[in-house]
Amino acid sequence: MIPGSFEYHRPSSVQEAVGLLAKLGDDGRAIAGGHSLIPMMKLRLAKPAHLVDLGGIADLKGIRADGSDIVIGAMTTQHELIGSSLLESKLPILRETSLQVADPQVRYMGTLGGNVANGDPGNDMPAVMLCLGATYHVMGKSGERRIAAREFYQGAYFTAIEGGDLLTAVRIPVPPAGHGYAYEKLKRKIGDYATAAAAVVLTMSGGRVANCSIGLTNVAETPLWAEEAAKILNGSALDAATVKRAVAAAEAITAPAADARGPAAYRTKMAGVMLTRALARAKSKARG
Amino acid sequence: MAKSQVAMKVNGATVEALVEPRTLLIHFLREELRLTGPHIGCETSHCGACTVDLNGKSVKSCTIFAVQANGADIRTIEGMANADGTLHALQEGFREMHGLQCGFCTPGMITRAYRLLQENNNPSEEEIRFGIAGNLCRCTGYQNIVRAIQYAAAKLNGVPFQEAAE
């Protein structure tokens, strides 16, 4: 399988890349790790006339603390997320999630920016970003915009990204020390997209939930932020009856497609099971 | 479509060529450089038969364009043997432990295992299995591949290889 012909561009700065993307319009496509785009090009489902390779832009790399946030460059790979000691201490849910993305070879190439910007409902990071309340830095013709992850996803492969825009970084507020977290993913085999998955971050105080946030993967056209479910859990001791009510609220907002991973009703139920497990594991990790 | 000039190091030798941007690295390696060790299996980034070592990373060469490898340092199975021509410990391990049957996945398995052992010189069985999860084998059931990698790790560490108790 050989992709269609295209012209190759390798800008060395964000400004140059944004200029190219703006000029090329619908004919241009940014390529990050390429592990979603190149397979699509081989199948001729994507036929960009111009590829703008982001691999040569040093400014898109790296993980840094910025006040109470952590800012991760869009071209940071899953492999680099896994190896980061800063993330391991401040945002361990990212490492846990990255380890469940695809396989080792894909993680060496696949980037956080590509994972969150592509808009594929099967990608794992978007739900984690909704859960964490992340913000995306998007550079366009008229300068930089900051878009909340919770407002970014509009449909399968449709996002707030417009022609000429480039997602340059992901900004994540660091959860309080002692928070509990878990990303529970059901998949048929290593490397598969989720049948359903749930991300949970919570803080406990005196044995009760002080704050809780939940994201769901691949059970709708977009990642889901389960706000109602989290509200039900706040103030509770995560007792079985409350968890059951919250899980029902989370299941209620799902609208999965039926595919090789199972019928829609099954995937909704599995989202509930993943959430139940993620809550239990997050609680066991939380202090307070 | 304009061709691009690329230069890269492959198995220690510098190569230069003109490539069409859409040429995948696996096609460049096999058809231009005649390095047919990396195999084309699934062509959909699943099977890992095309794995090569690229700038210290295990990369599926069917999912990167040759033009993106400009300036890279690449090692394929053809560059795996020791300088004196003897087999690399991994190659020896695959032979001694019967780590292959048809052999189609073996070049990818060995180049991937090479990087795995560079990053973790004494992996547990679980770490080996997780580390080669991007490489599919349809013959062996993986048991002997895991043993082959354990054999190589022991040899590289200068310790006797001990089979795990059944």
Side-chain angles (χ1 to χ4, degrees), chain B residues 19-109:
Chain B
V19 295
E20 251 194 284
R22 64 170 174 169
T23 302
L24 295 161
L25 181 60
I26 184 68
H27 294 135
F28 179 70
L29 293 172
R30 289 177 59 87
E31 290 162 22
E32 295 293 323
L33 305 185
R34 312 309 282 179
L35 295 172
T36 53
H39 288 158
I40 300 175
C42 69
E43 290 196 82
T44 54
S45 326
H46 288 98
C47 80
C50 64
T51 300
V52 300
D53 202 66
L54 187 151
N55 292 341
K57 302 181 281 198
S58 301
V59 172
K60 293 181 180 177
S61 61
C62 80
T63 314
I64 177 174
F65 295 109
V67 64
Q68 295 183 285
N70 188 26
D73 188 354
I74 295 172
R75 190 195 289 225
T76 69
I77 189 69
E78 286 89 346
M80 199 56 68
N82 300 316
D84 64 2
T86 58
L87 293 183
H88 185 275
L90 277 160
Q91 295 171 308
E92 187 182 307
F94 272 69
R95 185 184 67 193
E96 293 302 314
M97 295 293 117
H98 304 283
L100 61 141
Q101 288 176 24
C102 86
F104 192 86
C105 73
T106 314
M109 282 287 180

Side-chain angles (χ1 to χ4, degrees), chain A residues 118-281:
Chain A
N118 197 29
D120 184 338
N123 285 354
D124 293 292
M125 285 296 176
V128 176
M129 295 304 145
L130 302 192
C131 177
L132 289 164
T135 303
Y136 301 153
H137 295 205
V138 175
M139 189 64 90
K141 293 176 284 243
S142 42
E144 191 190 79
R145 315 196 302 286
R146 296 197 179 184
I147 306 171
R150 289 171 190 165
E151 288 162 12
F152 185 79
Y153 299 96
Q154 300 165 348
Y157 301 101
F158 284 92
T159 67
I161 292 267
E162 288 167 11
D165 282 346
L166 188 66
L167 189 149
T168 58
V170 173
R171 174 178 292 271
I172 306 170
V174 175
H179 72 276
Y181 64 91
Y183 186 68
E184 283 284 340
K185 176 177 178 180
L186 177 67
K187 55 192 179 203
R188 298 172 300 180
K189 58 179 263 300
I190 278 200
D192 195 14
Y193 292 107
T195 302
V200 167
V201 169
L202 53 76
T203 51
M204 303 287 287
S205 174
R208 292 192 173 269
V209 176
N211 210 330
C212 172
S213 186
I214 298 165
L216 302 174
T217 296
N218 217 13
V219 283
E221 287 215 341
T222 65
L224 298 174
W225 185 45
E227 195 176 4
E228 277 306 310
K231 271 187 195 156
I232 292 169
L233 293 166
N234 282 337
S236 81
L238 289 172
D239 56 283
T242 311
V243 168
K244 206 171 163 186
R245 272 201 300 131
V247 165
E251 288 177 0
I253 63 168
T254 67
D259 65 11
R261 295 175 187 87
Y266 167 73
R267 296 179 67 181
T268 290
K269 273 294 159 207
M270 289 308 103
V273 172
M274 292 303 107
L275 175 56
T276 308
R277 289 182 189 172
L279 286 167
R281 205 150 56 76

Side-chain angles (χ1 to χ4, degrees), chain A residues 1 3 42 53 103 105 108, chain B residues 43 51 60 62 119 135:
Chain A
M1 289 190 291
K42 287 202 271 187
D53 189 347
D103 63 46
Q105 283 94 321
Y108 281 112
Chain B
E43 290 196 82
T51 300
K60 293 181 180 177
C62 80
E119 293 180 355
N135 295 74

